[in-house]
Amino acid sequence: MKTDTKVLKLVRKTESASETEAASAEAKAASADFKGAAPATQPALSPKAVPHEETKSPVVTKIVSQSKTPQAKAAFQPGRLAPAARDQSEYHGLSREQMLSIYRTMYLSRKIDDKEIQLKGQNKIFFQISGAGHEAVLVAAGMVLKPGYDWFYPYYRDRALCLQLGMTPLEQLLSAVGAEKDPNSHGRQMPSHWGHKKLNIVSQSSPTGTQLLQAVGCAEAGYRVKLIKELKNRVQNFHADEVAYVSLGDGTSSEGECWEALNSACNLKLPVLFLLEDNGYAISVPVEVQTPGGDVSKLLENFPNLHIERCDGTDLLESYAAIQRAVQHCREGKGPALVHAKVIRPYSHSLSDDERLYRPDEERTADSERDPVKRFGGFLIEEGITSQDDLQRIKDGVDREVNEAADQALASPQPTPETAKLYVYSPDVDPCAKEFDTEKGAELSGNAGTMVDLINRCLHTEMARDPRIVVFGEDVADCSRDTHLEKVKGKGGVFKVTANLQRKFGGARVFNSPLAEANIVGRAIGMATRGLKPVVEIQFFDYIWPAMHQIRNELALMRWRSGNEWKAPVVIRVPIGGYLKGGADYHSQSGVSTFTQIPGLRVVYPSNALDANGLLRTAIRCDDPVLFLEHKHLYRQTYNKSQYPPDDFMIPFGKAKIVREGTHMSIITYGALVQRSVVAAKQAEQQGISVEVIDLRSLSPCDWNAIVASVKKTNKVLVAHEDSLSFGYGAEIAARIAGELFEYLDAPVHRVAALDTFVAYAPQLEDVILPQAADVAKAIQELYSY
């Protein structure tokens, strides 16, 4: 669609205010679809205007000719409109009104970028990153997809898509100024981090690529809902042919999570539309450095079930046709689709970047020749669809609208200081509250079971109670191949914690994941935003680190960064700890302080079977993400067994347990050190030393009141844990006791912990590295003698 530069010169500014007002009235009369400040709409494609089935009709695949027919040339005169009866199939069914509306949205997107750049230069906003050069393919995507029906995981270039879906210029500029009324994040995130509850635009963050797995999880939620008959009337906003849109840049395609997302989407034939917006650069790194051969879509050609479209993303009609074909593939249940759109980046990566440092002038000039806004405007004039004067009137109207929106945004109040801590956790469900405390007087029954037994029982009863619960991870199913299920005993997790769940509740609710921890957590986040309740397993704590991006930057932050618009109450079960005799450095890790430092994440660590049952039930029923740590050494110990509690047995978070009463000193501990501390306390009792042992049970939140009461009672404190001594969880407890309870202390706070090294394979080394009962006993003696 080559645009004659002479045509572009015809698009000029009007010269007077009166001329502008008259032109505006004329433009409104000429286009029934043009509604002043309203965002571009798609009346022929919106779910309200067209029966749902129409989206499945065959699409026109002809790409529009770059030159007009002789008849069209004869009919066209500058300033006159093309005949209304003209065959619209040449434009893939788009009417004149729709194309004018499309141009308006493209120009609007560019104008907001320019306004933000101006405001940044005036120090009225604090950051800017543009969507310039991507407008054509993004508006095309917004025309084909359905706001509030489909689901959207855009990245920061997707300004034009959000406008086309219905976000207003004011809403986008409220984000730029950090206003409290910003629907994207209520002033908590940078501009262009899109989110809009009404439009199904899920809150997005800065790390590139994390959105991909969440989009897969979002689509998978719809897939699971279709399979789980109990959910038929239990969930809302699910549609048989919905599509999950997710976009990425060429640089993001280098992230491992991109390939994990494509892997799962193709395996499950999920309706995910991947839009690859390839502008040739990841900040300063060109695509040939990022990707073998410089073409991501070529690398994906053999992915099964993946429909691939390639298009010039600066050509509106070519992009529209490609998106239509891709979305049709998804809606018909054939699997995911990838649209590889070649776009441009006419501005630097952001205002913090200067592309002139690494891009030569001739390359930047060549990009400007493909500017989608100029191309489409020139095309509309050249094709006789509109005149240069009417196009200018549209631009003038947009200019006024953006200026007015900027003024309103700048006048909009900022968030008040007292709101800073709002929505770190759920404001509606408090897992520390009385309704989660059914511990006292609970009647136990049956033979005593191990921690594995009681966790398994909790999962069984909770899954029977709530069909929204899905359980997945590596090896958690009994047998992935259903045809073999009756021929084998079944796996049920490497520690058998999830045994027989698949047999009881089916493969739609209990299933294995790829060996990819980010895949597990990212998909779980996507499912949780749709209302499912994922209870996932990371097979060993030692391998949780590939999922850290998803846990720290996505799971824990989802509610806060969106101002409580979105949430992801996922439970992550994780076997943890050492004392295994052979676990060594990659099956014995205990770094809990890394996670207790994360606001928004609950961290729970039971030491016995009964507590594990009650705390897991609370974790599942609460509305926050929970890291549920299960010590491997404690899984089958006889000393921590228990009879089975009732099906509503719960222990609230932040409630410690006094395991042993004492008067001379207090031991604050958790996990495997609880039993070792009890053993040491019994030894000390024979020497006349009375030791109180407190099991914290939940680490975040922590029962500070219980610690205060014990310190005031005994006046001496020992903190014992399995983590390394330096910079660990115990250091925080010790520091807070010293800072807030100093007047009650008769001695410095002591600590017992692992050596500042790694857990070795040889048993004699492991015994020295990890804290033993003898180490606790020695510390008791030293503290008592102080």
Side-chain angles (χ1 to χ4, degrees):
M1 189 167 63
K2 186 176 179 181
T3 301
D4 192 333
T5 55
K6 292 182 180 179
V7 175
L8 297 181
K9 293 179 180 179
L10 296 175
V11 182
R12 57 178 177 79
K13 282 283 185 180
T14 52
E15 297 179 357
S16 68
S18 59
E19 184 179 350
T20 298
E21 292 173 4
S24 178
E26 183 180 342
K28 290 180 180 180
S31 174
D33 194 47
F34 182 70
K35 298 180 181 178
T41 58
Q42 54 272 35
L45 296 169
S46 69
K48 291 183 179 179
V50 175
H52 173 63
E53 289 74 19
E54 284 192 26
T55 58
K56 297 184 179 181
S57 61
V59 295
V60 180
T61 58
K62 175 187 173 185
I63 301 301
V64 67
S65 169
Q66 306 307 317
S67 61
K68 299 190 296 291
T69 63
Q71 293 85 352
K73 288 181 179 179
F76 174 69
Q77 297 177 14
R80 279 185 62 187
L81 301 175
R86 183 172 180 177
D87 182 7
Q88 292 181 1
S89 65
E90 190 175 358
Y91 305 127
H92 307 296
L94 292 173
S95 68
R96 171 186 176 273
E97 288 74 19
Q98 284 179 302
M99 286 190 283
L100 289 176
S101 184
I102 286 169
Y103 176 80
R104 185 180 191 279
T105 304
M106 291 171 63
Y107 180 75
L108 177 62
S109 180
R110 183 68 61 86
K111 192 64 181 180
I112 296 174
D113 272 332
D114 292 341
K115 174 55 70 173
E116 287 185 352
I117 292 169
Q118 180 189 52
L119 294 173
K120 179 66 170 65
Q122 297 169 346
N123 291 320
K124 293 180 179 179
I125 67 171
F126 322 108
F127 179 79
Q128 206 280 331
I129 191 165
S130 82
H134 295 227
E135 295 94 345
V137 71
L138 289 170
V139 174
M143 289 289 293
V144 178
L145 295 165
K146 307 175 186 180
Y149 185 99
D150 295 318
W151 290 82
F152 300 91
Y153 288 79
Y155 87 120
Y156 49 80
R157 301 283 183 214
D158 285 18
R159 181 187 302 282
L161 170 82
C162 294
L163 289 169
Q164 181 62 40
L165 293 176
M167 193 178 290
T168 68
L170 176 59
E171 288 175 327
Q172 295 197 351
L173 288 165
L174 286 170
S175 176
V177 302
E180 192 281 329
K181 291 184 178 179
D182 156 38
N184 298 275
S185 75
H186 299 278
R188 295 183 168 193
Q189 291 210 88
M190 287 176 165
S192 299
H193 288 51
W194 312 113
H196 201 291
K197 186 73 172 180
K198 183 179 178 182
L199 301 174
N200 286 355
I201 303 173
V202 182
S203 171
Q204 293 303 286
S205 65
S206 292
T208 56
T210 50
Q211 74 274 18
L212 292 155
L213 284 168
Q214 294 170 42
V216 170
C218 172
E220 187 175 356
Y223 166 78
R224 300 284 166 194
V225 164
K226 293 176 186 177
L227 298 176
I228 303 170
K229 61 182 181 180
E230 297 89 345
L231 287 180
K232 185 175 182 180
N233 299 316
R234 291 284 299 270
V235 293
Q236 297 179 338
N237 206 14
F238 283 85
H239 307 284
D241 69 341
E242 65 187 25
V243 173
Y245 162 98
V246 63
S247 57
L248 66 154
D250 49 286
T252 298
S253 68
S254 297
E255 293 282 356
E257 292 182 22
C258 171
W259 298 88
E260 291 180 25
L262 286 161
N263 179 21
S264 289
C266 290
N267 263 348
L268 297 174
K269 294 181 67 175
L270 298 176
V272 183
L273 172 63
F274 295 89
L275 177 57
L276 173 57
E277 300 169 41
D278 183 354
N279 61 34
Y281 277 92
I283 306 184
S284 68
V285 183
V287 67
E288 70 271 13
V289 177
Q290 296 277 349
T291 304
D295 190 328
V296 177
S297 58
K298 284 186 178 179
L299 302 181
L300 294 168
E301 286 177 349
N302 289 325
F303 267 51
N305 305 317
L306 181 64
H307 178 86
I308 296 177
E309 292 279 345
R310 298 180 178 90
C311 68
D312 180 350
T314 67
D315 184 318
L316 183 283
L317 293 173
E318 185 178 328
S319 298
Y320 181 70
I323 296 283
Q324 277 191 314
R325 291 190 291 270
V327 170
Q328 181 176 338
H329 176 85
C330 294
R331 292 209 195 280
E332 292 179 350
K334 296 178 180 178
L338 177 121
V339 175
H340 186 173
K342 291 293 186 75
V343 294
I344 62 167
R345 197 187 75 189
Y347 300 165
S348 294
H349 167 73
S350 72
L351 287 190
S352 302
D353 171 54
D354 184 355
E355 66 174 9
R356 294 172 297 180
L357 299 176
Y358 51 86
R359 296 188 70 187
D361 289 343
E362 58 269 24
E363 184 178 285
R364 295 167 63 231
T365 299
D367 265 8
S368 68
E369 294 295 322
R370 296 177 56 225
D371 187 304
V373 179
K374 292 179 180 178
R375 281 184 81 179
F376 193 55
F379 169 81
L380 292 176
I381 296 171
E382 184 179 330
E383 290 287 294
I385 295 169
T386 191
S387 68
Q388 73 274 18
D389 288 334
D390 288 338
L391 204 63
Q392 186 60 52
R393 292 180 186 112
I394 290 175
K395 294 173 67 176
D396 290 343
V398 167
D399 292 350
R400 289 192 301 274
E401 180 184 356
V402 171
N403 288 333
E404 290 169 3
D407 291 341
Q408 292 180 55
L410 289 167
S412 186
Q414 297 273 305
T416 56
E418 57 268 22
T419 64
K421 290 186 177 181
L422 287 179
Y423 312 128
V424 175
Y425 301 101
S426 171
D428 305 313
V429 181
D430 181 6
C432 304
K434 290 188 298 182
E435 53 263 35
F436 285 94
D437 193 349
T438 63
E439 184 176 19
K440 187 176 181 180
E443 294 185 7
L444 308 181
S445 61
N447 296 325
T450 64
M451 184 183 284
V452 167
D453 295 329
L454 267 72
I455 292 175
N456 182 268
R457 171 69 71 88
C458 178
L459 290 170
H460 268 89
T461 59
E462 287 302 293
M463 291 190 74
R465 171 182 174 270
D466 187 353
R468 298 177 307 124
I469 296 174
V470 292
V471 173
F472 63 99
E474 299 162 28
D475 296 308
V476 302
D478 293 306
C479 182
S480 286
R481 292 172 175 163
D482 290 340
T483 54
H484 295 174
L485 194 56
E486 299 306 318
K487 303 175 185 178
V488 297
K489 185 177 180 180
K491 181 77 175 177
V494 295
F495 298 102
K496 300 294 183 183
V497 179
T498 56
N500 295 316
L501 288 177
Q502 181 193 359
R503 291 185 192 275
K504 175 69 173 178
F505 300 103
R509 296 183 64 191
V510 183
F511 49 93
N512 287 329
S513 71
L515 201 160
E517 288 75 17
N519 178 289
I520 296 169
V521 178
R523 286 164 63 193
I525 295 170
M527 292 184 203
T529 59
R530 301 293 306 277
L532 298 188
K533 185 72 181 188
V535 180
V536 301
E537 179 182 300
I538 300 295
Q539 195 168 85
F540 289 91
F541 180 86
D542 316 64
Y543 307 134
I544 200 170
W545 311 113
M548 195 62 182
H549 223 358
Q550 291 289 344
I551 294 171
R552 172 61 178 83
N553 287 326
E554 303 297 327
L555 180 67
L557 261 170
M558 180 68 75
R559 186 189 298 274
W560 185 88
R561 78 183 188 210
S562 68
N564 201 37
E565 301 285 348
W566 298 96
K567 61 182 180 179
V570 175
V571 178
I572 307 175
R573 294 182 38 257
V574 190
I576 190 172
Y579 303 107
L580 296 178
K581 300 301 180 188
D585 43 349
Y586 291 112
H587 292 80
S588 305
Q589 295 177 20
S590 296
V592 299
S593 60
T594 302
F595 295 90
T596 54
Q597 289 179 349
I598 301 175
L601 182 67
R602 309 285 192 181
V603 182
V604 183
Y605 203 148
S607 67
N608 58 76
L610 186 62
D611 287 356
N613 181 283
L615 288 168
L616 180 57
R617 187 169 284 104
T618 299
I620 291 172
R621 296 190 188 185
C622 90
D623 206 31
D624 295 313
V626 181
L627 185 68
F628 192 85
L629 302 173
E630 305 166 3
H631 201 292
K632 302 187 291 292
H633 176 72
L634 301 179
Y635 265 153
R636 289 183 170 84
Q637 296 296 332
T638 57
Y639 59 74
N640 69 7
K641 293 172 73 174
S642 171
Q643 291 180 287
Y644 292 88
D647 291 351
D648 63 349
F649 178 72
M650 289 181 286
I651 297 172
F653 294 168
K655 181 185 177 183
K657 183 177 183 180
I658 300 176
V659 177
R660 181 181 176 85
E661 296 274 2
T663 57
H664 290 146
M665 69 180 64
S666 304
I667 298 180
I668 312 299
T669 187
Y670 59 88
L673 264 293
V674 172
Q675 177 64 15
R676 282 162 174 73
S677 297
V678 169
V679 170
K682 289 180 178 179
Q683 294 173 359
E685 185 178 35
Q686 297 173 1
Q687 301 169 24
I689 305 173
S690 177
V691 180
E692 184 157 286
V693 179
I694 295 180
D695 179 3
L696 290 176
R697 303 200 287 191
S698 75
L699 306 184
S700 180
C702 167
D703 190 347
W704 179 244
N705 291 333
I707 294 172
V708 170
S710 188
V711 171
K712 288 182 177 180
K713 174 183 177 182
T714 67
N715 309 118
K716 291 183 178 181
V717 187
L718 174 65
V719 182
H721 61 68
E722 191 178 338
D723 272 344
S724 298
L725 179 68
S726 299
F727 315 111
Y729 187 82
E732 168 63 22
I733 298 297
R736 190 170 178 188
I737 291 172
E740 299 183 30
L741 301 172
F742 180 78
E743 61 189 290
Y744 299 101
L745 293 176
D746 291 339
V749 179
H750 280 43
R751 288 179 290 155
V752 174
L755 300 181
D756 290 340
T757 183
F758 308 100
V759 180
Y761 174 74
Q764 63 270 28
L765 286 179
E766 182 191 65
D767 288 346
V768 171
I769 291 165
L770 294 178
Q772 307 296 332
D775 299 313
V776 180
K778 180 181 178 182
I780 289 173
Q781 289 285 349
E782 292 174 352
L783 185 58
Y784 181 74
S785 302
Y786 184 84

